[in-house]
Amino acid sequence: MTKQKKNQEAKPLTRIYQAKIATPFAILGIRTDEDWLTDIDYLPLDTPILPPQTLLAKEVCRQLTAYLTEPDYRFDLSLHISGTAHQQRVWKAIMAIPSGQTSSYAEIAAQLHSAPRAVGRACGANRIPIVIPCHRVISKNGGLGGFMNASDGNPLEIKRWLLSHESA
């Protein structure tokens, strides 16, 4: 392996975003591929914003802004998210939870003949949060549970903000 090749491999991978928009809880990094929304990442609040670079990114930003204004807003975007059959079923069940309501990991697991931890892992693998509203999934005792594969810290503050925004 050449020295140049080693240096290229040592560089951290930088995500390419088609937009970065500010919200009260994070900068949302928007990634699209052709006509599909592929990712929404929660970035630190001090991340520079990036105006939409494509028509689809502009539409995603418009719809996310509409959601931030009106928590009952219904997204109408073409999503491209790959996952296992189980993850796809969990994400479909999550998308059926109305704004302002929650469901527990256990309830979704029972509905899908699965286990709560498997539902939690599928929630953690969701690459399009807010649009696929995994923040609406809580523990069976009414606690927040986890969010973004975390059980404390900033991810739970984001989940708390989103649920409060929706009055859930």
Side-chain angles (χ1 to χ4, degrees):
M1 186 178 305
T2 68
K3 186 175 182 178
Q4 182 181 11
K5 180 131 174 127
K6 282 184 184 180
N7 287 341
Q8 287 174 342
E9 290 178 1
K11 291 180 184 176
L13 293 175
T14 303
R15 289 192 152 233
I16 303 296
Y17 295 101
Q18 284 69 50
K20 294 178 191 172
I21 65 168
T23 71
F25 52 85
I27 300 297
L28 298 180
I30 311 300
R31 294 185 70 212
T32 60
D33 184 13
E34 296 182 12
D35 295 332
W36 304 93
L37 172 61
T38 61
D39 296 86
I40 297 176
D41 293 331
Y42 295 111
L43 305 173
L45 284 167
D46 61 355
T47 303
I49 62 168
L50 173 68
Q53 305 295 298
T54 66
L55 289 176
L56 177 57
K58 184 175 183 176
E59 179 61 17
V60 172
C61 291
R62 186 193 69 75
Q63 290 193 33
L64 285 167
T65 301
Y67 164 78
L68 292 170
T69 303
E70 177 53 53
D72 291 334
Y73 183 81
R74 294 176 86 59
F75 292 96
D76 183 22
L77 297 165
S78 297
L79 309 179
H80 186 274
I81 182 167
S82 58
T84 66
H86 180 264
Q87 289 170 332
Q88 297 283 345
R89 288 193 312 271
V90 169
W91 298 330
K92 185 176 180 182
I94 291 169
M95 290 180 76
I97 304 169
S99 178
Q101 296 183 28
T102 59
S103 186
S104 73
Y105 298 97
E107 290 167 336
I108 293 172
Q111 174 186 342
L112 300 177
H113 307 289
S114 182
R117 285 183 192 253
V119 170
R121 283 192 298 275
C123 287
N126 174 16
R127 294 189 352 243
I128 309 176
I130 302 176
V131 177
I132 300 175
C134 52
H135 60 275
R136 295 179 188 155
V137 184
I138 60 173
S139 66
K140 70 179 178 182
N141 65 5
L144 287 179
F147 189 58
M148 300 174 357
N149 293 315
S151 56
D152 61 10
N154 193 49
L156 289 189
E157 291 304 316
I158 293 171
K159 184 173 186 171
R160 197 172 281 115
W161 191 97
L162 291 167
L163 289 173
S164 175
H165 173 64
E166 296 179 358
S167 301

